[in-house]
Amino acid sequence: MATGGLAWGLYEAAWVRLTDLELPLAGLPPELAGLRIAHLADFHLGTPSPGTRAVERAVDWVAERQPDLVLVTGDLLARPRGARRLRRLIERLPPVYAVLGNHDYADSRDPFSRPVGEVDLGRGTLLADGAVTLDLRGRKVQLVGIDPRTYMRRDARPWELADADADLRILLCHFPRVVDLLPEGVFDLVLAGHTHDGQICLPYPGGKLRIAHPRVPYNHGVYRRPAATLHVSSGLGTTFVPLRFFARPEVTELRLVSA
């Protein structure tokens, strides 16, 4: 039984879910209806894991679909030796905008994680307490990204970077609970990762016990909160152990529609 469980955990860690999700947003300009955003998170490249195959398959899928935006919410690397693979993956995608996570700085209990130093995204753009405004379909779309170290010091104030004239404001943060810190109405959409949807889970009727982050209120999917709409990705890689149980890796294409 133990051997079968191990085999399943290894299999599930590579069994990526490819999701097309319609996401209604209040006040979305008509020109931005149908905008497609690929949301990826938690690659954890650099350590042996079937999750690397999940990352590769997810990148293949996104590259085939050519969405309007590719947004990545942290924990890209577990060790420096994953840096070259990361750059190759980014090069295959439409323009990428990303934030880092705590594992990129080895700020975790994972004994296999190592600091990776400066993260090079190649032609991708890293947002570390920074913002960029894009012209998409004749409308201004602003992306704001939080540095994980600022968040963990409780110094993050992303609302100070928000452009009131933007038609759509999206916040990227590795940590989902950032949504509880935001003033209402500053951001339209918040994207996060971090939780792996528990990674190792024990199912029970009507739910599951998440071993990783069991008390986190935002584990996976879409949450409507007064501050903004939040989407939490279950991510692609693994940490601590190269296994997943009842918490498949995923990549999601969000299709924005007017609420």
Side-chain angles (χ1 to χ4, degrees), residues 169-251:
R169 291 177 294 275
I170 303 174
L171 178 65
L172 281 64
C173 182
H174 183 58
F175 305 99
R177 296 194 71 166
V178 70
V179 74
D180 295 329
L181 306 177
L182 302 176
E184 187 173 346
V186 176
F187 293 99
D188 303 290
L189 177 62
V190 179
L191 302 183
H194 184 57
T195 67
H196 297 201
D197 195 22
Q199 186 171 316
I200 306 294
C201 302
L202 302 176
Y204 58 83
K208 60 184 181 181
L209 174 63
R210 295 172 170 89
I211 303 303
H213 311 289
R215 292 181 294 277
V216 171
Y218 311 121
N219 288 287
H220 170 251
V222 176
Y223 301 85
R224 306 287 182 180
R225 289 297 177 265
T229 295
L230 169 69
H231 181 259
V232 183
S233 173
S234 63
L236 291 159
T238 60
T239 184
F240 287 94
V241 293
L243 309 171
R244 282 185 181 245
F245 288 99
F246 300 97
R248 282 177 63 185
E250 73 168 0
V251 54

Side-chain angles (χ1 to χ4, degrees), residues 49-213:
S49 170
T52 301
R53 293 200 296 276
V55 175
E56 295 277 358
R57 179 67 186 97
V59 168
D60 288 343
W61 187 71
V62 173
E64 290 168 7
R65 296 174 70 87
Q66 291 291 303
D68 299 288
L69 285 172
V70 179
L71 306 180
V72 186
T73 51
D75 278 0
L76 307 181
L77 295 170
R79 285 177 175 256
R81 66 188 179 197
R84 184 175 299 177
R85 184 190 292 268
L86 175 64
R87 288 193 299 273
R88 288 201 305 266
L89 292 169
I90 296 297
E91 290 296 322
R92 290 163 51 192
L93 293 170
V96 171
Y97 299 87
V99 293
L100 300 181
N102 55 300
H103 279 264
D104 295 304
Y105 295 102
D107 191 340
S108 77
R109 301 187 189 94
D110 185 350
F112 304 108
S113 186
R114 297 289 184 272
V116 298
E118 184 176 352
V119 177
D120 180 6
L121 294 184
R123 65 188 185 94
T125 300
L126 185 63
L127 299 173
D129 295 331
V132 62
T133 299
L134 310 174
D135 186 337
L136 296 176
R137 303 182 180 183
R139 290 288 189 164
K140 292 173 64 177
V141 177
Q142 187 190 34
L143 309 176
V144 176
I146 297 178
D147 188 299
R149 296 167 296 181
T150 305
Y151 177 88
M152 290 185 287
R153 292 196 304 265
R154 302 184 180 182
D155 290 335
R157 291 176 175 79
W159 51 88
E160 295 179 356
L161 299 172
D163 179 2
D165 294 327
D167 299 296
L168 176 66
R169 291 177 294 275
I170 303 174
L171 178 65
L172 281 64
C173 182
H174 183 58
F175 305 99
R177 296 194 71 166
V178 70
V179 74
D180 295 329
L181 306 177
L182 302 176
E184 187 173 346
V186 176
F187 293 99
D188 303 290
L189 177 62
V190 179
L191 302 183
H194 184 57
T195 67
H196 297 201
D197 195 22
Q199 186 171 316
I200 306 294
C201 302
L202 302 176
Y204 58 83
K208 60 184 181 181
L209 174 63
R210 295 172 170 89
I211 303 303
H213 311 289

